[in-house]
């Protein structure tokens, strides 16, 4: 049988021009690819690195058709797209990685949960609800606390709320109009885990190390790689990721977020793109999640995902005030921390909770305990320079 001929990919279109697209640039340059970006604002982070920018909303499929004219393949840094319209574009010959059919079950949290259940992957128990008509027995069936989620367009915890009682839940529901929602069992997890997985067109799969993520107010504050979990749990997480990408014939990179309690795991969410929990890989892994995304969609051999440091701490630099500033002095101080790799996304406006940059620091300890202690010390050092917005904004 002849090998399948795959056209060499030189021009990559990216739907979305935030920091995830911006961080593709060094890998694209190494691989000899140009980046073409579709994003709504000319001050979005990736505009400065793009060879071409189509200034349009990510859900504007006419703009995607325009983007496609210059591109061999189109990939995603933002999943808030118009999928039926992209499916039509695909039928007219535009190549997407992942294909619209592969992400069809990943854009709505209810569809995600149902897909995971069909694949036998564990999730929190859930219930789709209509805020206008939900009955008291529906609202109480999962007990309290309970987690209420917007089915679509949630990110960084926007659209996710933890509610402690029926009156609290009923009150919140009033503000939702007829937005479709998901009600979900609250998992009293020990830690949150995440893993990035890449699958290339040839079906090769590579998983990155399993990491621990820490969310405060539903926004990721820091990540430690690798997570302090048993080999058996790491294997289980990697197998879940593999199972998922194979089942939907996924080509590209995806992130899985999970809850862990003892030996139990629950999949919380799937991101059909690069993810904040994989930023550490830019410096701590032999191949970054960004290079791996480009390799996967170009059907190049996937790179090694091995850590090249004993461990890494990634801290998000979240805005803690409303201000226009480039925070030059703080950035200088952060960059001077030992081994610091600082990324500043070039956003001109700071708002509480907005992701403005991140810093990755090597962890040199040889045991999980040593690395965890080191991470706490380093986190305190980072927060002495860059305040933790949650502690400032607590009511
Ligand atoms: P988003 O899609 O906005 O990222 P998530 O669904 O990932 O929102 O939830 C954000 C955070 O809220 C999670 O990382 C976790 O800390 C908390 N959370 C979400 N669902 C649950 C749950 N079922 N049980 C406990 N905590 C949860």
């Amino acid at each position: 049988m002849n090998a399948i001929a795959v056209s060499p990919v030189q021009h990559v279109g990216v739907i979305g021009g935030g920091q995830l697209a911006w961080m593709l640039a060094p890998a694209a340059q190494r691989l000899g690819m140009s980046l073409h970006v579709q994003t709504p604002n000319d001050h979005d982070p990736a505009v400065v690195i793009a060879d071409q920018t189509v200034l349009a909303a990510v859900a504007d499929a006419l703009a995607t058709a325009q983007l496609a004219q210059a591109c061999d393949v189109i990939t995603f840094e933002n999943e808030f797209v118009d999928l039926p319209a992209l499916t039509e574009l695909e039928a007219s010959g535009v190549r997407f990685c992942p294909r619209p059919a592969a992400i069809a079950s990943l854009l709505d949290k209810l569809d995600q949960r149902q897909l995971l259940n069909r694949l036998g992957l564990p999730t929190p128990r859930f219930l789709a609800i209509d805020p206008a008509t939900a009955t008291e027995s529906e609202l109480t069936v999962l007990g309290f606390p309970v987690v209420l989620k917007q089915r679509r367009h949630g990110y960084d915890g926007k659209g996710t709320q933890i509610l402690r009682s029926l009156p609290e839940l009923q009150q919140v529901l009033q503000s939702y109009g007829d937005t479709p929602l998901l009600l979900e069992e609250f998992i009293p997890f020990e830690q949150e885990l995440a893993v990035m997985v890449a699958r290339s067109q040839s079906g090769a799969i590579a998983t990155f190390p399993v990491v621990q993520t820490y969310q405060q107010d539903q926004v990721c504050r820091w990540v430690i790689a690798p997570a302090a979990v048993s080999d058996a749990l790491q294997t289980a997480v990697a197998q879940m990721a593999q199972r998922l990408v194979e089942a939907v014939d996924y080509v590209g990179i995806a992130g899985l977020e999970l809850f862990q309690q003892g030996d139990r795991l629950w999949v919380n969410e799937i991101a059909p793109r690069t993810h904040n929990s994989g930023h550490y890989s830019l410096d701590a892994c032999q191949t970054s999640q960004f290079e791996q995304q480009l390799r996967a969609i170009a059907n190049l051999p996937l790179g090694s995902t091995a850590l090249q440091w004993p461990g890494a701490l990634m801290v998000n630099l979240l805005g803690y005030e409303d201000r226009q500033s480039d925070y030059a002095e703080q950035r200088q101080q952060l960059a001077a921390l030992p081994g610091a790799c600082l990324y500043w996304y070039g956003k001109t406006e700071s708002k509480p909770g907005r992701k403005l940059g991140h810093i990755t620091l090597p962890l040199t300890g040889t045991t999980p305990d040593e690395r965890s202690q080191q991470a706490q010390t380093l986190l305190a050092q980072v927060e002495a320079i860059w305040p933790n917005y949650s502690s400032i904004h607590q009511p």
Side-chain angles (χ1 to χ4, degrees), residues 30 208 281-288 291 303-308:
R30 267 196 306 281
F208 282 78
S281 66
L282 274 169
D283 305 289
C285 292
Q286 287 181 12
T287 308
S288 75
E291 178 166 339
S304 162
T305 56
L307 281 165
Q308 48 190 3

Side-chain angles (χ1 to χ4, degrees), residues 15-142:
I15 301 184
Q19 61 266 19
L20 299 178
W22 176 73
M23 283 184 269
L24 280 169
Q29 199 174 24
R30 267 196 306 281
L31 296 170
M33 298 171 180
S34 66
L35 295 173
H36 304 249
V37 166
Q38 174 180 342
T39 199
N41 299 309
D42 64 4
H43 50 268
D44 285 341
V47 171
V48 293
I49 56 88
D51 284 77
Q52 178 206 359
T53 302
V54 176
L55 275 183
V58 292
D60 181 343
L62 284 177
T64 306
Q66 190 192 333
L67 183 76
Q69 285 170 10
C71 298
D72 303 309
V73 61
I74 292 184
T75 191
F76 302 87
E77 80 107 52
N78 183 312
E79 64 274 32
F80 300 153
V81 292
D82 177 351
L83 207 64
L86 297 191
T87 308
E88 277 179 34
L89 275 184
E90 184 184 44
S92 73
V94 176
R95 201 176 142 226
F96 291 97
C97 282
R99 295 183 54 195
I103 57 173
S105 302
L106 305 180
L107 305 186
D108 178 313
K109 287 184 197 285
L110 175 66
D111 296 340
Q112 272 199 19
R113 292 268 176 276
Q114 289 172 336
L115 170 71
L116 290 162
N117 285 185
R118 278 199 301 282
L119 298 176
L121 302 180
T123 66
R125 288 182 298 134
F126 61 89
L127 188 72
I129 59 164
D130 173 344
T133 58
T135 63
E136 196 168 311
S137 63
E138 283 180 312
L139 298 181
T140 51
V141 70
L142 297 171

Side-chain angles (χ1 to χ4, degrees), residues 109 149 155 157 160 184-185 187 192 218 259 268-269:
K109 287 184 197 285
K149 297 184 175 183
Y155 70 101
T160 292
E184 188 171 279
E185 167 193 20
I187 306 292
E192 292 190 70
Q218 283 93 52
F259 302 132
N268 173 36
E269 186 157 46

